[in-house]
Amino acid sequence: MTWSTILPQLQNVDISTDYATVLLPDGVIVYIGGRAVAGVARSDLNHTIDGSSIEPRNGHSAVLTKRGDIIVYGGETSTNGTNPMQSDVLVLDTNTWEWSNPNISSINAPPPLLGHSAAIYGNYMILAFGQASSTHYNNIYILDVEHYTWVTTITSAN
């Protein structure tokens, strides 16, 4: 029950709202993205981690797969109030701490979402609800995390 930093460059990050967290099997809690309460400043997800260029965001979701990858979906990246929502799926390999952005078909994909929830069930990431601009959604979306394909049914929870 102590605080520590696995990446020393992140010690001075002042993010306190709209971030995503993931608990790793070794008890480490990973905080991803977010913004300062007093403003719209977003945490840069890529300034200390090698891999793909990742835009800062808040209001996104994150889940941990059985392989140990963290999958991040959606969120908002605007810092000037225009609120561009993201529909990308980002993957953080927790062994190398490198980001990737898998090429996923848009068939059955959700709209860009903010403030949604996500959970992992077997090999599936399940997204629920959320909003895009002024529209609120009450839909459920399913991503097969083994094949990186949006699906409409779960065949097995393997």
Side-chain angles (χ1 to χ4, degrees), residues 28-45:
V28 170
I29 301 171
V30 179
Y31 292 86
I32 300 170
R35 64 183 173 90
V37 171
V40 293
R42 271 122 181 118
S43 174
D44 185 346
L45 299 180

Side-chain angles (χ1 to χ4, degrees), residues 85 111-116 129-139 141:
M85 307 293 176
L113 293 174
L114 168 71
H116 56 284
F129 315 117
Q131 70 180 51
S133 299
S134 61
T135 302
H136 290 78
Y137 290 91
N138 61 357
N139 298 334
Y141 303 94

Side-chain angles (χ1 to χ4, degrees), residues 55-102:
E55 291 187 79
R57 65 192 61 216
N58 63 274
H60 50 287
S61 62
V63 296
L64 180 67
T65 68
K66 291 194 284 186
R67 287 189 310 273
D69 293 334
I70 296 174
I71 299 178
V72 174
Y73 180 79
E76 172 186 46
T77 61
S78 171
T79 57
N80 62 8
T82 57
N83 300 331
M85 307 293 176
Q86 298 299 303
S87 61
D88 50 359
V89 173
L90 308 171
V91 180
L92 178 60
D93 181 323
T94 61
N95 293 308
T96 64
W97 297 103
E98 290 185 350
W99 288 101
S100 62
N101 191 344

Side-chain angles (χ1 to χ4, degrees), residues 2-13 28-29 48 97:
T2 61
W3 286 98
S4 63
T5 303
I6 56 175
L7 297 171
Q9 302 91 333
L10 297 179
Q11 289 179 348
N12 297 319
V13 175
V28 170
I29 301 171
T48 58
W97 297 103

